[in-house]
Amino acid sequence: DDVLDYAHHALRGARPTLEDRYVATVFRPSLTAAPTGIFAVFDGHGGEATAQFLQDELEAALTGHEHFAGDLPKALRGACAALEARVLERQRGGGGDTSGSTLTMVVIRGRRLWSCNVGDSRCVMAR
């Protein structure tokens, strides 16, 4: 079976706003390819702007990376580094946003799984 089923849930908690964001998407890179799933959680800190930016930009940064089709670990590192540079550039440009975010991400392609994290968030796999 080559279907990726998933669910997600977000809960605001005691804070007045939810600063966290997520990406959950499944697609086929080509008609004959196994489905690829990108699942990410952004733990916003000090506001939601950075987590929102990362939610909006992650999929394009990762799937548009030159190594996405062949060397996924290299694409994950490259996309994360590029997004971090863009976040820092936005913050240096002014506007007053000093928010941040951690990232925990899993990419599933066929029967293989890759995970990565930026900051103090972690992914735990259980069976």
Side-chain angles (χ1 to χ4, degrees):
D1 189 41
D2 63 347
V3 174
L4 286 175
D5 293 322
Y6 65 91
H8 55 83
H9 176 74
L11 183 63
R12 179 177 49 85
R15 293 182 180 258
T17 61
L18 179 63
E19 297 178 345
D20 304 339
R21 297 292 186 270
Y22 68 89
V23 168
T25 186
V26 177
F27 60 94
R28 288 183 184 273
S30 70
L31 292 175
T32 59
T36 296
I38 300 172
F39 306 96
V41 175
F42 308 97
D43 181 11
H45 293 255
E48 59 190 29
T50 296
Q52 183 65 55
F53 171 79
L54 294 170
Q55 179 186 41
D56 294 343
E57 300 295 327
L58 174 70
E59 186 177 350
L62 182 57
T63 60
H65 192 277
E66 64 181 315
H67 293 289
F68 180 73
D71 188 347
L72 194 52
K74 191 177 245 183
L76 288 166
R77 286 188 300 272
C80 288
L83 287 170
E84 180 180 35
R86 290 178 61 196
V87 166
L88 294 173
E89 180 181 311
R90 288 179 50 191
Q91 290 179 340
R92 285 186 198 115
D97 177 44
T98 59
S99 67
S101 180
T102 66
L103 161 69
T104 298
M105 176 171 37
V106 171
V107 178
I108 301 171
R109 183 182 287 159
R111 298 189 51 83
R112 296 193 66 192
L113 179 144
W114 295 263
S115 69
C116 79
N117 64 284
V118 176
D120 63 0
S121 293
R122 299 290 183 265
C123 177
V124 176
M125 188 167 133
R127 188 171 204 192

